[in-house]
Amino acid sequence: MRMSKLFVQTLREFPSDAEVMSHKLLVRAGYIRKLTNGVYNYLPLMWRVLKKIENIVREEMDAAGAQELLMPFVQPSELWQESGRWEVYGKELMRLKDRHNREMCLGPTHEEVITSIGREGIRSYKQLPVNLYQIQSKFRDEIRPRFGLLRGREFIMKDAYSFDADEEGLDKSYEIMAKAYKKIFERCGLETKMVQSDSGAIGGSVSHEFMVLVNEESENNAGENDVFYCTKCGYSANSNHAVSILNPAETDGHFDKAQITDTPDVHSIEELSQFLKVPSSVICKCLIYVIDGKYVAALIRGDRTVEETKLMNVFAGNDIRIARNDEIEEIMNNSGFSAIAGFIGPKGLKGVEIVADETVKELKNFVIGINQTDKHLTGANWGSDVELPEKIADIRLVEQNDKCKDCGAELKVTKGIEVGNIFKLGTKYSKAMNATFTDKDGQEKPFIMGCYGIGISRTAAAAVERHHDEYGIKWPVSIAPYKVIVVPVSDQDEKQMSVAEEIYNKLIEAKIEVLLDDRQERAGVKLKDADLIGIPYRITVGKTILDNLVEFKERATNVTQTISPDEAVQRIINIS
Ligand code: ATP
Ligand code: MG
């Protein structure tokens, strides 16, 4: 392709609305243009990259025995009512009505549709296992679309779904997908970590995320997930799922008897611990949440933080938020108290479910709110002063330097971009939607299912996050829009132009994806654009062509060498 013909407009500046490097660079280098919030045009260069990723995904999925199909983007609400998700999916589900007033939605994911396909098409255990996948645009009305392709509202996903006759079958299908994912990301030039993750309200199910780690670049905040990993054994997990053994805290010896103590105007754990001159680990925090519209009080040791997904899962919830002040007021009214936030305690709360983190159990002679403003109970003990809640669970966020539950070594944290997710669904959808097959013994059984997603467009953006410098993108060769760019320094110099054309033609003949920068531009502009667009190799034809030499540059390392045009062509052909 000739640059003079290529539909690409590079910009002098980064776009003002972009926060992370992949967003900044993809816009500036002319890969994407925003159409509306969270919705992007994939311009020709971008589309080439996306197709490359899609093809790698296709090849590995096919090799793993999966079959490609394509399901509709618009789905009828009836299917979602069957699974029960029409009510619970929330605002990310883009709902619409057709001209007959029938409710529909734009597919955010396709469990319902695939389950209906399995229900109709698979009758017998003899047809199992089956793994079906598609590559398609998805729509999720994300609350905060941001970071360009990393979190769009419309984005491209590969989603696969497996059907098996039993749990062992599912384990195998899952294992095969885990291996395929590893290969896919490796082939895309991305190192990933497979980490345990939350499986939502399904409870007991297994799921893993594939994370591109982005911690090394300190200015970079593109990694939206915290990944905890053990420094000794292989344990690693998303913070929404990570568990740890706690370092024992200093919890005793500050109070010798239980008494109500004035704590005026203290509004945080920090202020309370300073005021009472005790470590925050001696305080029992009581936080009020709203989970699916119901009030929940969460007790946790004062030095620790509640992990909201973990807390939500205790109640098999779909939606969680911290209670507003007017809601706390309502609870106080209903319970016959009048305290404000900061002084709330579990004793005497009405219309509120209470759950205590494991850390709370061990507390002795501790500090706790008693629903009286400006007062706390100090030196409290479970049983004699306050009842220990029946519901005790791990609802705390793991912290750096907590101990690994598997081997006791220290846990560390890093940031990650989730590019893929594999998931054991079990019978969640097949049971709800009555999708069954006849098993060996003649019995009707629900399918044991799995689902497996890869964010195609997010993977492209993650590759830019991992591979760039201050001058632009450094695409891994396997997903670059073109492999090489040939740049004559002066478009006025006949010799330079003719050698550049020659190299270009030879590369085309060798079926290499090559760009020729034949634009009437200054050398500086052309060289800058080549770096910005991030083509992996550049062959620059300048004055040294009189000695039969060109400059050969590898974008990944920015190393340049002076070699003959023929050698440059041969090198490109030899690089796979
Ligand atoms: P997240 O936690 O980042 O919102 P998710 O867990 O809801 O993602 P999945 O349902 O697991 O997403 O979707 C499968 C894959 O699709 C994800 O691993 C991710 O790569 C991609 N993906 C999900 N949401 C988006 C989005 N808004 N923009 C781009 N890619 C996305
Ligand atoms: Mg996910």
Side-chain angles (χ1 to χ4, degrees):
M1 170 61 89
R2 289 170 186 274
M3 280 291 275
S4 59
K5 297 278 183 306
L6 180 68
F7 188 82
V8 62
Q9 294 83 38
T10 56
L11 309 177
R12 271 166 194 262
E13 307 284 337
F14 286 133
S16 58
D17 65 340
E19 295 167 65
V20 298
M21 277 320 279
S22 61
H23 187 190
K24 289 180 184 179
L25 285 169
L26 288 173
V27 172
R28 186 166 162 204
Y31 283 78
I32 57 171
R33 288 287 177 266
K34 181 163 144 181
L35 181 62
T36 183
N37 211 11
V39 180
Y40 290 87
N41 291 302
Y42 309 122
L43 299 178
L45 283 176
M46 190 73 234
W47 189 232
R48 290 180 77 93
V49 172
L50 293 171
K51 280 193 294 186
K52 292 248 164 96
I53 298 173
E54 286 188 10
N55 282 337
I56 291 172
V57 169
R58 270 196 189 98
E59 281 174 21
E60 294 302 331
M61 290 300 291
D62 292 349
Q67 296 173 59
E68 188 173 1
L69 48 54
L70 185 60
M71 292 178 267
F73 177 51
V74 176
Q75 306 178 16
S77 66
E78 286 83 357
L79 276 182
W80 287 71
Q81 255 137 12
E82 277 188 56
S83 74
R85 283 209 294 185
W86 189 253
E87 308 303 331
V88 300
Y89 203 96
K91 290 193 176 157
E92 268 155 43
L93 187 64
M94 184 85 164
R95 297 156 210 254
L96 48 142
K97 282 188 181 157
D98 70 7
R99 68 200 306 165
H100 305 295
N101 226 17
R102 287 192 197 111
E103 286 191 295
M104 323 279 278
C105 65
L106 302 184
T109 172
H110 279 66
E111 281 81 7
E112 281 79 2
V113 181
I114 204 80
T115 305
S116 80
I117 289 175
R119 179 166 67 183
E120 281 168 41
I122 309 169
R123 302 250 168 263
S124 157
Y125 73 95
K126 289 180 194 152
Q127 292 168 270
L128 297 173
V130 173
N131 188 330
L132 301 170
Y133 77 97
Q134 63 173 349
I135 297 177
Q136 185 200 40
S137 286
K138 296 277 185 275
F139 196 95
R140 295 182 184 178
D141 200 358
E142 298 272 356
I143 184 165
R144 274 188 78 199
R146 56 179 186 163
F147 299 167
L149 300 191
L150 284 176
R151 184 167 296 282
R153 292 197 298 163
E154 186 179 308
F155 57 95
I156 304 175
M157 198 204 283
K158 184 284 299 180
D159 44 328
Y161 306 87
S162 65
F163 295 84
D164 275 283
D166 50 34
E167 291 290 339
E168 295 83 76
L170 172 59
D171 290 349
K172 252 190 226 156
S173 297
Y174 192 82
E175 196 53 39
I176 290 170
M177 282 297 105
K179 283 205 182 111
Y181 272 40
K182 197 164 174 278
K183 265 201 197 155
I184 287 168
F185 294 120
E186 266 172 24
R187 284 187 59 189
C188 291
L190 282 171
E191 206 182 303
T192 51
K193 202 171 181 66
M194 176 170 148
V195 312
Q196 295 177 17
S197 71
D198 169 56
S199 11
I202 301 170
S205 297
V206 173
S207 87
H208 287 88
E209 289 163 344
F210 286 76
M211 294 284 185
V212 172
L213 304 182
V214 286
N215 217 23
E216 296 83 43
E217 296 144 274
S218 54
E219 93 284 1
N220 201 322
N221 57 355
E224 291 187 283
N225 297 272
D226 285 322
V227 175
F228 285 93
Y229 63 97
C230 177
T231 43
K232 204 165 143 213
C233 73
Y235 177 76
S236 61
N238 189 316
S239 59
N240 66 19
H241 192 75
V243 293
S244 65
I245 306 169
L246 271 189
N247 296 329
E250 192 191 341
T251 58
D252 198 8
H254 302 282
F255 304 101
D256 47 18
K257 65 175 194 303
Q259 63 178 37
I260 295 175
T261 304
D262 284 333
T263 52
D265 276 339
V266 298
H267 294 291
S268 64
I269 293 293
E270 209 186 345
E271 284 174 15
L272 183 61
S273 97
Q274 271 169 15
F275 181 84
L276 292 172
K277 301 196 174 53
V278 296
S280 55
S281 57
V282 180
I283 300 167
C284 179
K285 242 192 307 199
C286 177
L287 299 160
I288 308 289
Y289 285 89
V290 184
I291 300 179
D292 294 348
K294 295 196 191 93
Y295 292 132
V296 168
L299 306 186
I300 190 163
R301 212 171 70 190
D303 60 329
R304 305 300 297 214
T305 308
V306 169
E307 210 303 312
E308 294 190 354
T309 305
K310 283 186 176 181
L311 172 60
M312 185 170 78
N313 288 345
V314 173
F315 297 92
N318 287 294
D319 181 57
I320 184 166
R321 63 177 173 80
I322 196 98
R324 299 186 306 261
N325 281 341
D326 63 294
E327 289 167 327
I328 292 180
E329 205 179 319
E330 184 190 314
I331 294 171
M332 288 294 104
N333 285 338
N334 292 343
S335 313
F337 301 120
S338 61
I340 58 169
F343 302 93
I344 309 299
K347 197 171 174 177
L349 289 186
K350 297 214 169 75
V352 180
E353 282 226 56
I354 302 172
V355 57
D357 182 64
E358 291 163 337
T359 50
V360 156
K361 240 182 353 191
E362 314 297 334
L363 290 177
K364 288 193 181 62
N365 302 323
F366 56 90
V367 179
I368 192 164
I370 44 171
N371 303 314
Q372 292 182 36
T373 300
D374 292 347
K375 291 190 193 312
H376 278 86
L377 183 64
T378 55
N381 281 292
W382 298 119
S384 48
D385 306 302
V386 194
E387 232 172 284
L388 182 66
E390 263 173 42
K391 214 175 233 172
I392 293 181
D394 175 358
I395 56 166
R396 69 185 174 276
L397 182 67
V398 167
E399 281 170 21
Q400 180 119 268
N401 302 334
D402 280 359
K403 301 273 184 300
C404 173
K405 64 141 181 51
D406 290 342
C407 75
E410 281 192 354
L411 295 177
K412 293 273 170 254
V413 69
T414 179
K415 292 278 180 200
I417 300 171
E418 177 197 326
V419 285
N421 200 181
I422 56 175
F423 207 122
K424 289 188 185 175
L425 292 171
T427 56
K428 182 179 156 88
Y429 295 90
S430 51
K431 264 196 186 147
M433 295 178 64
N434 202 23
T436 59
F437 66 98
T438 317
D439 205 357
K440 279 194 187 92
D441 51 13
Q443 290 212 343
E444 282 299 298
K445 288 189 182 149
F447 298 111
I448 315 290
M449 294 172 59
C451 75
Y452 316 91
I454 289 182
I456 302 283
S457 41
R458 185 182 281 180
T459 298
V464 178
E465 290 295 337
R466 289 298 292 142
H467 303 290
H468 69 265
D469 61 14
E470 72 248 61
Y471 306 110
I473 303 171
K474 298 174 167 187
W475 289 113
V477 179
S478 60
I479 62 172
Y482 291 89
K483 189 173 182 182
V484 53
I485 181 165
V486 184
V487 184
V489 169
S490 163
D491 61 273
Q492 304 301 319
D493 186 307
E494 264 176 42
K495 174 83 178 158
Q496 289 180 23
M497 286 306 279
S498 70
V499 173
E501 286 275 352
E502 219 174 280
I503 295 172
Y504 175 61
N505 287 326
K506 279 187 187 158
L507 288 169
I508 287 179
E509 230 165 82
K511 302 221 172 345
I512 301 288
E513 293 171 301
V514 52
L515 279 173
L516 172 67
D517 199 343
D518 59 341
R519 295 176 299 170
Q520 294 185 343
E521 284 283 3
R522 284 183 295 114
V525 171
K526 292 191 277 193
L527 298 179
K528 268 197 181 134
D529 275 353
D531 278 354
L532 178 63
I533 292 171
I535 305 301
Y537 299 98
R538 188 180 82 197
I539 300 171
T540 312
V541 186
K543 286 197 185 117
T544 54
I545 198 58
L546 297 174
D547 303 321
N548 196 35
L549 290 171
V550 294
E551 187 193 74
F552 186 91
K553 174 172 168 179
E554 184 185 50
R555 180 70 181 102
T557 55
N558 288 328
V559 169
T560 58
Q561 275 172 294
T562 315
I563 55 180
S564 74
D566 282 348
E567 196 187 339
V569 169
Q570 205 48 51
R571 274 201 196 179
I572 293 294
I573 293 171
N574 291 346
I575 295 164
S576 58

